[in-house]
Amino acid sequence: MHAIRQSAFGPPESLRYEETGRPVPGPGEVLIRVAAAGVHLMDTALRAGSSYGLPLPSLPMTPGREVAGTVEAVGPDVDAGRLGERVVAYLGHERSGGYAEFAIADAEAPHSLPTQVGYPEAVAMIGTGRTVLGVLDQARLTAQDVVVVTAAAGGMGVLLVQAARRAGALVVGLAGGSGKTEQVLTEGADAAVDYTADGWTAELDAALGPRGATVLFDGVGGDLGTTAMRRLAPGGRHLFYGWASEPGRFGALPAEELDRRGITSTFVVGPSLFELPGGVRALEERALAEAASGRLRPAIRSFPLAEAAAAHHALESRATTGKVVLLTD
């Protein structure tokens, strides 16, 4: 089989498309013939040798933790009735191997995939989609909310825009470049602001009106995240889940200012996400159901498996919209 192999930490070019042996499922495992594999910003950090709280993988290795495809083989103690089943799986923090034509998963990890959900969309929902639902559970949006979404053309941003509009909220998306702002408007935002343009903060203020924002979803952090936080009205909710602009630096206001204005600031993908009722498995099931019903529609940017390095380049340079996915065919 072919797989992406990494033998040293470094730039995207450290990802090599190579021929390697097909893995064999052991007890409690299944082998998935991979049709689509998800690419995450954390993958790019680990590839470069930056852990951000996760242990660095042992090298050589094959990256990737999100896969969709069909069950090709099962371990000796796994029901053979699963052979040929269309599935999607999050492989877990301790197991990688998704950037390949075949990948091993724990037998309990795969979800049976509804026929109306394609493999790329399933990959987007099993990781990104479940996180979005966990964030929304904590946000408790209403039709009275005014919502700002940073990185609104990204994998999470697109889904948050859709969900906020469905809740009846007024939605303003921030994105970098005219192509991305057009995507945000297509997803249903009431306004889209290009934060790379001169005078963008005035455009944001005009879109929000005198009330300001009641909710900020921020996966960008840094100066952009902090600037957006200053648009929160008294009593506003800041829900943050990333730092794409400046690794390791969330958007933040001084604690005394948060207290004075009654703003709550919550990191929503830490323990609070995984302690939600039903845990991660329930979030995954709900995310797939949302995609099957059409209530959430992930945007996809796909690359051939052999071009994983190009996918990493594009993601790191913010040249993509939606979820980045590798396809084996």
Side-chain angles (χ1 to χ4, degrees):
M1 74 167 190
H2 288 92
I4 299 299
R5 299 291 288 166
Q6 179 176 357
S7 298
F9 298 114
E13 290 73 21
S14 61
L15 301 177
R16 303 295 181 88
Y17 183 66
E18 298 178 355
E19 191 166 354
T20 185
R22 181 189 298 190
V24 176
E29 296 178 335
V30 298
L31 178 68
I32 298 173
R33 179 186 288 270
V34 177
V39 180
H40 193 280
L41 194 61
M42 185 59 72
D43 294 350
T44 69
L46 293 173
R47 183 214 71 233
S50 300
S51 67
Y52 296 120
L54 290 177
L56 288 176
S58 299
L59 301 178
M61 57 88 71
T62 294
R65 292 174 172 80
E66 305 159 346
V67 299
T70 56
V71 176
E72 178 76 9
V74 299
D77 57 347
V78 178
D79 181 8
R82 303 195 69 176
L83 292 172
E85 180 183 357
R86 296 177 75 247
V87 296
V88 61
Y90 183 79
L91 302 181
H93 291 305
E94 303 302 322
R95 186 197 291 274
S96 62
Y99 293 11
E101 292 176 327
F102 294 89
I104 294 289
D106 291 336
E108 67 272 14
H111 296 264
S112 183
L113 190 56
T115 57
Q116 61 268 49
V117 180
Y119 293 127
E121 292 74 21
V123 161
M125 296 308 289
I126 199 68
T128 301
R130 76 174 187 189
T131 303
V132 164
L133 289 184
V135 171
L136 290 169
D137 284 352
Q138 296 172 83
R140 298 181 177 88
L141 295 179
T142 73
Q144 286 69 52
D145 278 313
V146 177
V147 177
V148 173
V149 182
T150 68
M156 284 190 64
V158 162
L159 298 176
L160 288 168
V161 167
Q162 293 173 9
R165 282 295 295 138
R166 195 170 72 245
L170 187 147
V171 185
V172 179
L174 305 183
S178 60
K180 290 187 177 183
T181 55
E182 290 174 8
Q183 171 79 28
V184 173
L185 292 173
T186 299
E187 300 300 339
D190 296 279
V193 177
D194 178 1
Y195 63 75
T196 67
D198 293 338
W200 73 270
T201 55
E203 185 179 352
L204 174 59
D205 291 338
L208 294 174
R211 181 184 174 193
T214 62
V215 176
L216 169 62
F217 293 121
D218 181 27
V220 174
D223 290 339
L224 177 65
T226 301
T227 299
M229 283 186 74
R230 296 198 183 280
R231 272 65 192 172
L232 281 169
R237 292 111 74 197
H238 171 226
L239 299 102
F240 61 100
Y241 46 86
W243 50 64
S245 67
E246 299 179 48
R249 184 180 166 220
F250 291 114
L253 295 177
E256 58 270 20
E257 182 174 352
L258 295 177
D259 290 342
R260 174 171 52 82
R261 296 170 57 194
I263 293 172
T264 58
S265 185
T266 307
F267 180 48
V268 288
V269 296
S272 59
L273 176 66
F274 301 106
E275 292 170 1
L276 291 170
V280 171
R281 184 79 181 180
L283 288 175
E284 293 173 348
E285 291 172 352
R286 287 172 52 202
L288 293 172
E290 290 291 299
S293 70
R295 289 187 295 269
L296 289 178
R297 305 172 308 280
I300 303 295
R301 170 70 188 279
S302 62
F303 292 80
L305 175 64
E307 297 178 15
H312 274 224
H313 266 301
L315 187 57
E316 288 179 305
S317 63
R318 303 182 205 171
T320 62
T321 58
K323 174 70 174 179
V324 178
V325 175
L326 301 176
L327 303 179
T328 58
D329 296 323

